[in-house]
Amino acid sequence: MAGDDELDALLAEQVAYYRAVAGEYGDYGAMPGVSALGEVIEEFAPAGRVLELACGPGVWTPLLARHADEVTAVDASPEMLARAAARVDERVRWVEADVFGWRPDGVFDVVFFGFWLSHVPRERFAEFWAMVAGCLAPGGRVLFVDDALRTAEELVEGVESTTIRRWAGDGGVHRAVKVAYRPDELSRELAGLGWSVEVRLTEWPFYWGAGRPGA
């Protein structure tokens, strides 16, 4: 288990990576398997006050805004927020903040995160989900979409490690977290924290989960 200082350094590198690649980050929304995740969001219909954690370049934000009364989108990278804001600005409040240190100024009907849970270290998993629970209004729901893809090139510390390395276009090398969850495993872990969440595959390695706190 990594210590707090080591984890903080790893997470700082992860933020640095996404800041470095913001200008070159591809639009993965049309990839096979990913488009099915967009259909999941449409069916879920995230209405009311919606919180999007780690919004990145805003691939999912327009889908959320289509259903929501208002969206609060949080990300640690100002460069990613700028890309996201270029996609949609109606009913969206942009917040530059590290998800691990940020706390909301209110509660939300829906908390959503796309391709983010796999970047949460296992050591911070319970803490992260406690924060999510604290963001939800009574009767609130959570929805997430993600993938379990890790390339051989990234696995420089071996397949058992959740720390990977990624290369930015400028040649910079950054460590990041990538936890390759299986749906059944993730559902059990969430149940152990008191969540009732259904986790399903679309097309491997893509999956989604939806539910509420409380069994």
Side-chain angles (χ1 to χ4, degrees), residues 21-148:
V21 300
E24 63 197 46
Y25 207 64
D27 187 351
Y28 52 79
M31 290 171 56
V34 177
S35 57
L37 299 177
E39 295 171 8
V40 168
I41 296 173
E42 294 287 3
E43 184 175 345
F44 184 90
R49 296 190 69 212
V50 175
L51 171 64
E52 182 179 12
L53 296 173
C55 67
V59 170
W60 313 107
T61 315
L63 299 181
L64 302 174
R66 184 150 60 232
H67 295 276
D69 294 330
E70 60 181 78
V71 177
T72 297
V74 181
D75 201 275
S77 166
E79 296 84 357
M80 286 292 192
L81 285 171
R83 285 199 59 180
R87 292 177 182 268
V88 58
D89 56 10
E90 184 180 6
R91 300 187 304 280
V92 179
R93 177 169 65 115
W94 307 101
V95 178
E96 180 186 333
D98 186 328
V99 169
F100 293 108
W102 177 81
R103 292 298 179 267
D105 55 6
V107 291
F108 300 85
D109 301 296
V110 172
V111 175
F112 171 83
F113 31 101
F115 288 16
W116 165 247
L117 184 60
S118 58
H119 294 306
V120 175
R122 288 189 179 276
E123 295 91 336
R124 302 278 172 91
F125 184 84
E127 178 185 341
F128 171 73
W129 281 97
M131 184 272 285
V132 172
C135 290
L136 286 172
R141 303 178 295 161
V142 67
L143 173 67
F144 58 86
V145 298
D146 216 314
D147 74 272

Side-chain angles (χ1 to χ4, degrees), residues 7 15-16 33 44 46 52 57-58 74 79 95 97 129-130 134 154 166 175 180 191 199 203-204 214:
L7 268 180
V15 171
F44 184 90
E52 182 179 12
V74 181
E79 296 84 357
V95 178
W129 281 97
E154 294 175 332
R166 287 182 170 172
R175 293 182 303 159
V199 185
E203 177 180 334
W204 180 257

